[in-house]
Amino acid sequence: MAHRIHSLDYMKLLLALGVAFGHAILMQNQLKPWSYLIGMGLLRGLVPTFSAISGYSIYVTQKRGKLDAWLKGLIAVYLFWMAFYLPVWFRDMSGFEQVVQTLVFGTMHLWYIAGLVLALPLMLATLWLGRKTGTGIWPMLGAALILALTGSGLAYWSYLVSPLPLDLHRNGITVIFPFAAAGYAVAMLVDQRGREALPSARALWLAMILLGVLKLGESAIVMQVYGVSIRTLPDLPILAIPFALLMFLAFLRLDLPRAPVNLGLWSASIYFLHILMILIARHFGIMSIWATTLLGIIMPILLAIAFEKVMAMRRRPQAERGVVRP
């Protein structure tokens, strides 16, 4: 890649804000008509969009020859945050098998990171098959399409016919892998032909807005038929699949300047810490969706800023010791 595409940093921050808002609604169990429409109509596509960004990053990292280090770092991050939230998720465990299942598939918001760990080997295997057969990325994209439809089909079966375990249709193979594969393919296209090979920004944004309206309409219809409940739509409705990809492409097509702050660190801090902040707020009796959302956003940002300042202070003495004075 010739240069960093800063619009993806802005998108990651926006997605992290949406995840914090969605979890504030769910953890407070305050599903109302307006929050149901937003949550089910728009926020369902956030994690898949994160996955597409990850696929894009995987391509860039692989081209730089740093994929092994990236995977090791990903596993380390996952294990750290699983240990960090251990008091939260471990109390619901009923036995050793459930603990293993939770470690494999993740818990709460961490299922996305666990999904990436599962998705990457499958990506590499299908890419290897493409190289061996001379078919390029088509085995990966074919597997992505089949698994995405399989996961969506299982999800609809679970919600409309007979309940299935959530991990069966919401995991790294049926959700994260398909979108990461799409992001990888887009990164390859952009690397070879530039962003001009993508549809225009105007066309992408118009299509995304239109699809967003349709998604809101879908949620409104389901709400009228089944009522306001978390159990009335699959985790990833059919319309959420193209919506997530359109969002990714629309931001990718934007030309945005580099942010004056570390948006990557901010978005990561919000993503990993907003659950803790919401739990702390609930402990002190703060139940407002807006208050818990703000705490889940502002406090992680402040911690990210403090972390940067501490790291800068630690680097400064090392840099001074390396200066050769005349």
Side-chain angles (χ1 to χ4, degrees), residues 150-164 168-169 231 234:
T150 300
S152 185
L154 289 172
Y156 272 96
W157 178 274
S158 178
Y159 281 81
L160 299 177
V161 181
S162 177
L164 298 172
L168 186 62
H169 54 82
R231 299 290 300 177

Side-chain angles (χ1 to χ4, degrees), residues 27-304:
M27 292 178 67
Q28 304 300 77
N29 195 24
Q30 296 191 32
L31 272 180
K32 302 174 182 178
W34 70 267
S35 61
Y36 180 91
L37 288 177
I38 294 175
M40 299 298 181
L42 299 178
L43 300 184
R44 283 302 197 193
L46 297 184
V47 169
T49 309
F50 262 126
S51 304
I53 299 174
S54 296
Y56 191 98
S57 299
I58 288 170
Y59 175 85
V60 175
T61 305
Q62 185 182 45
K63 190 166 184 181
R64 292 173 178 170
K66 299 181 179 180
L67 195 56
D68 288 345
W70 186 87
L71 178 57
K72 291 176 182 177
L74 181 68
I75 294 173
V77 166
Y78 175 64
L79 293 177
F80 171 83
W81 287 108
M82 284 294 286
F84 183 88
Y85 282 106
L86 182 66
V88 178
W89 63 265
F90 189 75
R91 62 188 179 187
D92 297 325
M93 297 295 102
S94 59
F96 178 74
E97 290 184 1
Q98 192 175 7
V99 171
V100 173
Q101 180 180 340
T102 303
L103 288 172
V104 172
F105 292 104
T107 181
M108 297 180 296
H109 57 314
L110 298 178
W111 77 270
Y112 163 66
I113 308 298
L116 275 178
V117 175
L118 291 176
L120 184 56
L122 182 55
M123 290 181 67
L124 295 178
T126 51
L127 288 170
W128 174 85
L129 179 62
R131 289 193 299 270
K132 288 295 183 180
T133 59
T135 52
I137 63 171
W138 291 111
M140 180 182 68
L141 294 180
L145 178 60
I146 292 171
L147 290 171
L149 293 176
T150 300
S152 185
L154 289 172
Y156 272 96
W157 178 274
S158 178
Y159 281 81
L160 299 177
V161 181
S162 177
L164 298 172
L166 182 61
D167 289 336
L168 186 62
H169 54 82
R170 193 201 68 172
N171 54 62
I173 304 302
T174 60
V175 176
I176 306 301
F177 166 71
F179 288 94
Y184 187 99
V186 170
M188 178 180 290
L189 177 65
V190 170
D191 186 33
Q192 295 174 352
R193 299 173 54 186
R195 281 186 289 175
E196 294 74 18
L198 301 175
S200 68
R202 171 179 288 187
L204 289 168
W205 281 98
L206 286 175
M208 191 182 79
I209 292 171
L210 175 61
L211 194 55
V213 172
L214 292 175
K215 280 174 58 58
L216 290 172
E218 174 190 48
S219 298
I221 293 172
V222 173
M223 182 174 63
Q224 290 298 319
V225 175
Y226 295 101
V228 177
S229 170
I230 187 68
R231 299 290 300 177
T232 56
L233 267 182
D235 213 61
L236 191 62
I238 287 292
L239 290 180
I241 296 176
F243 182 78
L245 295 175
L246 281 171
M247 184 186 299
F248 169 62
L249 293 174
F251 269 91
L252 186 61
R253 205 65 170 86
L254 289 178
D255 289 314
L256 298 177
R258 180 177 181 176
V261 297
N262 190 340
L263 292 182
L265 180 61
W266 283 23
S267 60
S269 183
I270 293 170
Y271 188 85
F272 287 116
L273 289 172
H274 73 275
I275 294 289
L276 174 65
M277 300 305 163
I278 294 173
L279 290 172
I280 292 174
R282 292 181 62 189
H283 176 76
F284 288 101
I286 301 174
M287 304 300 290
S288 166
I289 293 174
W290 305 108
T292 51
T293 299
L294 286 175
L295 286 171
I297 292 171
I298 294 174
M299 290 305 298
I301 289 178
L302 293 176
L303 290 171

